[in-house]
Amino acid sequence: MPEETIEERYCRQTPGSRERFEAGRNFTAGPAKGAYFFSPYPLSFVSGEGCQLQDVDGRTYVDYANHHTVQILGHQHPSVMAAVEKQLQSGIALGGTVGVEFDIAAEMCRRVDTVERIRFVNSGTEATLHAIRLARGFSGKPKIAKFEGGYHGSHDAVEISVRPPLEEAGPPDAPRSVPGAGGMSAGAVDEVIILPYDDEAAVERLVEQHREELACVIFDPKAGILPQRKEFVQAVRNITRKFGVLLIFDEIVGFRIGMGGLQAHYGIDPDLTCFGKLIGGGFPASAFGGRADMMDLLDNSQGPTGFFQSGTFSAHPVAMATGLATLKALTPEVYDHLNGLGDRLKSGLEQQFVDQGVEAHIVVTGSIFSVHFKEGPLANYRDLAHTDQDLAHRVFLSLLDQGYFLSSGLTMCALSSPMTERHIDGLVEAMGRAVEKAQKEG
Ligand SMILES: Cc1ncc(COP(=O)(O)O)c(C=O)c1O
């Protein structure tokens, strides 16, 4: 009898997930949200505790995805659960401030030096939308610049050149603006200048060339996905300042590395910053904040300013309470623990792949990591576009078989604080076995 393939084994072990997916897909246009899907069908979970997940078929996994990096404290952390319960007892949504939104705002301003004021919204998409609008209004200039391969959520201003086909992408040092989704406004592409990662000279030339019309550069440093030179990140800040262009730093994923965020790690002072993912402690909350002279344009308590930001569920009490509980639990010791595990994972996987003769890049920023199977350099979007994604997918499925749930594609995976060195070493060994199997099937 021919040996069972990795995918056949996945299907044999997860009939309950298939059944749920097939029953629901015609009502939710597929997987309920795009990012839940992986082929042949996504897993369906019933519970999570600590760093473990359980699926509908009763299988358990160590969770290295952590809900798109959100669950930095793992699942059902006692302080987060206590914050939910306390808030539920007072009421869920009361139609006015309840105090906790001011507490978490003060905590964010205390932690991040450049944030003098902050506004909470429901998603990273909303955070980048409002930050860009504010930058346009404040500067009076119409266009923005973003990096090729940078992701900032799903709205017209930023869903440009996120994953452009290389044949449409233009020259590497002057990339074209390529729309990223059907149905976008026809003018959207003309309003966005595309910059290449890791090329200071090109960034300087393009920002200088468009300085009169550029409101801002929005910069997602792709923490834990693309290696980023500190000098490059600092150059982006210096170039924008030199040419009078605002810098919006997108830390939605990166706000995991330490108390002051990714900007403290790189030593930069953006004008505005976007936050998301973990800041709601597992509930929907994101934020944008920064310079008081910009953010105060949103202060409608002093009369009309011509600017406005609000939202039915913005600064939702439960999300603010769980977010604050999460931030308070993220002490310097917890960051040291997580970042130490990240270092251990990087060196462990690198050694594992050297021993196996596998060409791979392990990118780790704090406690976020990606595994890219690729020969040669990895510095920008075009390098990322040449990674072996079929191999990564087979490795992902084979890791599921061994009880490890990573982000599909093996990019933007994340550690959580309940993990120990034992979990890291277990993943390194499992990765070795998964790659061996996946290569055999290639
Ligand atoms: C860097 C970055 N910015 C913005 C977003 C959008 O956030 P959301 O999915 O909450 O809209 C994401 C989502 O993954 C992200 O990774």
Side-chain angles (χ1 to χ4, degrees), residues 57-82:
D57 291 293
R59 291 174 58 81
T60 57
Y61 305 85
V62 186
D63 185 8
Y64 284 91
N66 281 299
H67 199 90
H68 318 295
T69 77
V70 167
Q71 298 291 79
I72 191 167
L73 301 175
H75 303 279
Q76 301 196 44
H77 186 279
S79 316
V80 176
M81 298 304 281

mmCIF file of all heavy atoms in Angstrom, residues 57-82:
data_model
loop_
_atom_site.group_PDB
_atom_site.id
_atom_site.type_symbol
_atom_site.label_atom_id
_atom_site.label_comp_id
_atom_site.label_asym_id
_atom_site.label_seq_id
_atom_site.Cartn_x
_atom_site.Cartn_y
_atom_site.Cartn_z
ATOM 1 N N ASP A 57 -11.687 17.598 17.343
ATOM 2 C CA ASP A 57 -11.495 16.143 17.360
ATOM 3 C C ASP A 57 -10.756 15.677 18.610
ATOM 4 O O ASP A 57 -10.340 14.519 18.695
ATOM 5 C CB ASP A 57 -10.736 15.712 16.103
ATOM 6 C CG ASP A 57 -11.592 15.891 14.858
ATOM 7 O OD1 ASP A 57 -12.600 15.177 14.726
ATOM 8 O OD2 ASP A 57 -11.289 16.788 14.041
ATOM 9 N N GLY A 58 -10.529 16.605 19.549
ATOM 10 C CA GLY A 58 -9.892 16.222 20.811
ATOM 11 C C GLY A 58 -8.366 16.193 20.736
ATOM 12 O O GLY A 58 -7.706 15.760 21.687
ATOM 13 N N ARG A 59 -7.792 16.657 19.628
ATOM 14 C CA ARG A 59 -6.318 16.696 19.523
ATOM 15 C C ARG A 59 -5.800 17.980 20.171
ATOM 16 O O ARG A 59 -6.439 19.024 20.072
ATOM 17 C CB ARG A 59 -5.899 16.653 18.042
ATOM 18 C CG ARG A 59 -6.199 15.302 17.389
ATOM 19 C CD ARG A 59 -5.898 15.344 15.899
ATOM 20 N NE ARG A 59 -4.508 15.717 15.620
ATOM 21 C CZ ARG A 59 -3.469 14.900 15.666
ATOM 22 N NH1 ARG A 59 -3.641 13.626 15.985
ATOM 23 N NH2 ARG A 59 -2.255 15.327 15.387
ATOM 24 N N THR A 60 -4.632 17.905 20.790
ATOM 25 C CA THR A 60 -4.072 19.112 21.415
ATOM 26 C C THR A 60 -2.823 19.558 20.656
ATOM 27 O O THR A 60 -2.116 18.756 20.043
ATOM 28 C CB THR A 60 -3.713 18.890 22.896
ATOM 29 O OG1 THR A 60 -2.808 17.806 22.958
ATOM 30 C CG2 THR A 60 -4.938 18.608 23.732
ATOM 31 N N TYR A 61 -2.594 20.858 20.714
ATOM 32 C CA TYR A 61 -1.467 21.482 20.002
ATOM 33 C C TYR A 61 -0.811 22.496 20.923
ATOM 34 O O TYR A 61 -1.505 23.198 21.669
ATOM 35 C CB TYR A 61 -1.964 22.253 18.765
ATOM 36 C CG TYR A 61 -2.791 21.415 17.812
ATOM 37 C CD1 TYR A 61 -4.165 21.251 18.033
ATOM 38 C CD2 TYR A 61 -2.213 20.777 16.721
ATOM 39 C CE1 TYR A 61 -4.934 20.479 17.176
ATOM 40 C CE2 TYR A 61 -2.982 20.007 15.854
ATOM 41 C CZ TYR A 61 -4.338 19.860 16.096
ATOM 42 O OH TYR A 61 -5.095 19.094 15.254
ATOM 43 N N VAL A 62 0.518 22.626 20.815
ATOM 44 C CA VAL A 62 1.173 23.784 21.431
ATOM 45 C C VAL A 62 0.948 24.940 20.457
ATOM 46 O O VAL A 62 1.179 24.808 19.247
ATOM 47 C CB VAL A 62 2.682 23.538 21.632
ATOM 48 C CG1 VAL A 62 3.285 24.719 22.403
ATOM 49 C CG2 VAL A 62 2.934 22.240 22.375
ATOM 50 N N ASP A 63 0.487 26.066 21.001
ATOM 51 C CA ASP A 63 0.037 27.162 20.130
ATOM 52 C C ASP A 63 1.181 28.139 19.841
ATOM 53 O O ASP A 63 1.551 28.946 20.703
ATOM 54 C CB ASP A 63 -1.132 27.893 20.806
ATOM 55 C CG ASP A 63 -1.727 28.965 19.913
ATOM 56 O OD1 ASP A 63 -1.335 29.048 18.726
ATOM 57 O OD2 ASP A 63 -2.599 29.722 20.400
ATOM 58 N N TYR A 64 1.698 28.073 18.637
ATOM 59 C CA TYR A 64 2.739 29.009 18.198
ATOM 60 C C TYR A 64 2.182 30.044 17.223
ATOM 61 O O TYR A 64 2.948 30.719 16.545
ATOM 62 C CB TYR A 64 3.911 28.260 17.539
ATOM 63 C CG TYR A 64 4.794 27.568 18.536
ATOM 64 C CD1 TYR A 64 4.550 26.245 18.909
ATOM 65 C CD2 TYR A 64 5.854 28.227 19.132
ATOM 66 C CE1 TYR A 64 5.352 25.609 19.836
ATOM 67 C CE2 TYR A 64 6.657 27.603 20.068
ATOM 68 C CZ TYR A 64 6.405 26.302 20.407
ATOM 69 O OH TYR A 64 7.201 25.691 21.337
ATOM 70 N N ALA A 65 0.865 30.134 17.136
ATOM 71 C CA ALA A 65 0.253 31.168 16.290
ATOM 72 C C ALA A 65 -0.301 32.275 17.194
ATOM 73 O O ALA A 65 -0.186 33.455 16.902
ATOM 74 C CB ALA A 65 -0.849 30.574 15.433
ATOM 75 N N ASN A 66 -0.903 31.857 18.326
ATOM 76 C CA ASN A 66 -1.394 32.808 19.330
ATOM 77 C C ASN A 66 -2.292 33.900 18.764
ATOM 78 O O ASN A 66 -2.083 35.091 19.018
ATOM 79 C CB ASN A 66 -0.204 33.400 20.103
ATOM 80 C CG ASN A 66 0.277 32.405 21.140
ATOM 81 O OD1 ASN A 66 -0.479 32.041 22.034
ATOM 82 N ND2 ASN A 66 1.486 31.914 20.991
ATOM 83 N N HIS A 67 -3.275 33.440 17.999
ATOM 84 C CA HIS A 67 -4.240 34.343 17.369
ATOM 85 C C HIS A 67 -3.537 35.533 16.709
ATOM 86 O O HIS A 67 -3.684 36.679 17.153
ATOM 87 C CB HIS A 67 -5.318 34.817 18.347
ATOM 88 C CG HIS A 67 -6.531 35.339 17.623
ATOM 89 N ND1 HIS A 67 -7.595 34.558 17.276
ATOM 90 C CD2 HIS A 67 -6.803 36.563 17.117
ATOM 91 C CE1 HIS A 67 -8.473 35.268 16.620
ATOM 92 N NE2 HIS A 67 -8.009 36.493 16.495
ATOM 93 N N HIS A 68 -2.802 35.239 15.659
ATOM 94 C CA HIS A 68 -2.089 36.275 14.891
ATOM 95 C C HIS A 68 -1.191 37.124 15.800
ATOM 96 O O HIS A 68 -1.159 38.352 15.664
ATOM 97 C CB HIS A 68 -3.061 37.189 14.133
ATOM 98 C CG HIS A 68 -4.209 36.479 13.474
ATOM 99 N ND1 HIS A 68 -4.048 35.585 12.444
ATOM 100 C CD2 HIS A 68 -5.545 36.525 13.701
ATOM 101 C CE1 HIS A 68 -5.221 35.117 12.072
ATOM 102 N NE2 HIS A 68 -6.144 35.655 12.828
ATOM 103 N N THR A 69 -0.539 36.501 16.759
ATOM 104 C CA THR A 69 0.419 37.107 17.715
ATOM 105 C C THR A 69 -0.241 37.786 18.920
ATOM 106 O O THR A 69 0.456 38.284 19.802
ATOM 107 C CB THR A 69 1.388 38.130 17.070
ATOM 108 O OG1 THR A 69 0.725 39.380 16.841
ATOM 109 C CG2 THR A 69 1.999 37.635 15.767
ATOM 110 N N VAL A 70 -1.575 37.807 18.966
ATOM 111 C CA VAL A 70 -2.287 38.547 20.024
ATOM 112 C C VAL A 70 -2.009 37.992 21.431
ATOM 113 O O VAL A 70 -1.751 38.736 22.373
ATOM 114 C CB VAL A 70 -3.810 38.501 19.756
ATOM 115 C CG1 VAL A 70 -4.606 38.956 20.963
ATOM 116 C CG2 VAL A 70 -4.161 39.313 18.525
ATOM 117 N N GLN A 71 -2.076 36.662 21.568
ATOM 118 C CA GLN A 71 -2.152 36.042 22.896
ATOM 119 C C GLN A 71 -0.768 35.886 23.516
ATOM 120 O O GLN A 71 -0.306 34.781 23.784
ATOM 121 C CB GLN A 71 -2.873 34.692 22.787
ATOM 122 C CG GLN A 71 -4.316 34.801 22.291
ATOM 123 C CD GLN A 71 -5.218 35.461 23.302
ATOM 124 O OE1 GLN A 71 -5.235 36.677 23.442
ATOM 125 N NE2 GLN A 71 -5.960 34.667 24.046
ATOM 126 N N ILE A 72 -0.143 36.996 23.810
ATOM 127 C CA ILE A 72 1.237 36.976 24.327
ATOM 128 C C ILE A 72 1.312 36.331 25.707
ATOM 129 O O ILE A 72 2.334 35.777 26.088
ATOM 130 C CB ILE A 72 1.823 38.412 24.318
ATOM 131 C CG1 ILE A 72 3.331 38.385 24.600
ATOM 132 C CG2 ILE A 72 1.091 39.332 25.284
ATOM 133 C CD1 ILE A 72 4.041 39.692 24.296
ATOM 134 N N LEU A 73 0.201 36.353 26.457
ATOM 135 C CA LEU A 73 0.191 35.707 27.777
ATOM 136 C C LEU A 73 -0.418 34.302 27.688
ATOM 137 O O LEU A 73 -0.697 33.686 28.727
ATOM 138 C CB LEU A 73 -0.617 36.546 28.771
ATOM 139 C CG LEU A 73 -0.136 37.973 29.009
ATOM 140 C CD1 LEU A 73 -1.098 38.727 29.927
ATOM 141 C CD2 LEU A 73 1.271 37.990 29.602
ATOM 142 N N GLY A 74 -0.642 33.816 26.490
ATOM 143 C CA GLY A 74 -1.300 32.519 26.325
ATOM 144 C C GLY A 74 -2.804 32.664 26.550
ATOM 145 O O GLY A 74 -3.338 33.782 26.566
ATOM 146 N N HIS A 75 -3.465 31.521 26.717
ATOM 147 C CA HIS A 75 -4.931 31.515 26.838
ATOM 148 C C HIS A 75 -5.354 31.423 28.300
ATOM 149 O O HIS A 75 -4.746 30.714 29.092
ATOM 150 C CB HIS A 75 -5.508 30.339 26.043
ATOM 151 C CG HIS A 75 -5.095 30.383 24.602
ATOM 152 N ND1 HIS A 75 -5.720 31.180 23.672
ATOM 153 C CD2 HIS A 75 -4.070 29.786 23.947
ATOM 154 C CE1 HIS A 75 -5.122 31.050 22.502
ATOM 155 N NE2 HIS A 75 -4.118 30.205 22.633
ATOM 156 N N GLN A 76 -6.412 32.167 28.606
ATOM 157 C CA GLN A 76 -7.008 32.163 29.954
ATOM 158 C C GLN A 76 -6.009 32.563 31.033
ATOM 159 O O GLN A 76 -5.962 31.944 32.112
ATOM 160 C CB GLN A 76 -7.626 30.798 30.268
ATOM 161 C CG GLN A 76 -8.702 30.415 29.269
ATOM 162 C CD GLN A 76 -9.573 29.286 29.775
ATOM 163 O OE1 GLN A 76 -9.992 29.283 30.931
ATOM 164 N NE2 GLN A 76 -9.856 28.331 28.910
ATOM 165 N N HIS A 77 -5.214 33.585 30.775
ATOM 166 C CA HIS A 77 -4.299 34.083 31.802
ATOM 167 C C HIS A 77 -5.138 34.611 32.973
ATOM 168 O O HIS A 77 -6.103 35.354 32.759
ATOM 169 C CB HIS A 77 -3.426 35.198 31.219
ATOM 170 C CG HIS A 77 -2.370 35.678 32.153
ATOM 171 N ND1 HIS A 77 -2.623 36.579 33.165
ATOM 172 C CD2 HIS A 77 -1.055 35.366 32.245
ATOM 173 C CE1 HIS A 77 -1.508 36.798 33.833
ATOM 174 N NE2 HIS A 77 -0.535 36.088 33.298
ATOM 175 N N PRO A 78 -4.789 34.265 34.221
ATOM 176 C CA PRO A 78 -5.644 34.625 35.368
ATOM 177 C C PRO A 78 -5.945 36.122 35.462
ATOM 178 O O PRO A 78 -7.090 36.502 35.756
ATOM 179 C CB PRO A 78 -4.840 34.156 36.587
ATOM 180 C CG PRO A 78 -3.815 33.212 36.063
ATOM 181 C CD PRO A 78 -3.629 33.449 34.601
ATOM 182 N N SER A 79 -4.960 37.000 35.191
ATOM 183 C CA SER A 79 -5.242 38.443 35.331
ATOM 184 C C SER A 79 -6.214 38.914 34.256
ATOM 185 O O SER A 79 -7.040 39.801 34.506
ATOM 186 C CB SER A 79 -3.981 39.294 35.154
ATOM 187 O OG SER A 79 -2.925 38.777 35.817
ATOM 188 N N VAL A 80 -6.090 38.340 33.073
ATOM 189 C CA VAL A 80 -6.981 38.755 31.982
ATOM 190 C C VAL A 80 -8.395 38.253 32.260
ATOM 191 O O VAL A 80 -9.379 38.997 32.113
ATOM 192 C CB VAL A 80 -6.455 38.227 30.619
ATOM 193 C CG1 VAL A 80 -7.408 38.564 29.490
ATOM 194 C CG2 VAL A 80 -5.052 38.789 30.343
ATOM 195 N N MET A 81 -8.491 37.009 32.728
ATOM 196 C CA MET A 81 -9.814 36.449 33.024
ATOM 197 C C MET A 81 -10.484 37.241 34.166
ATOM 198 O O MET A 81 -11.683 37.536 34.112
ATOM 199 C CB MET A 81 -9.698 34.967 33.430
ATOM 200 C CG MET A 81 -9.130 34.077 32.350
ATOM 201 S SD MET A 81 -10.035 34.155 30.799
ATOM 202 C CE MET A 81 -11.426 33.115 31.179
ATOM 203 N N ALA A 82 -9.686 37.639 35.156
ATOM 204 C CA ALA A 82 -10.253 38.417 36.278
ATOM 205 C C ALA A 82 -10.741 39.779 35.779
ATOM 206 O O ALA A 82 -11.794 40.271 36.216
ATOM 207 C CB ALA A 82 -9.201 38.589 37.371
#
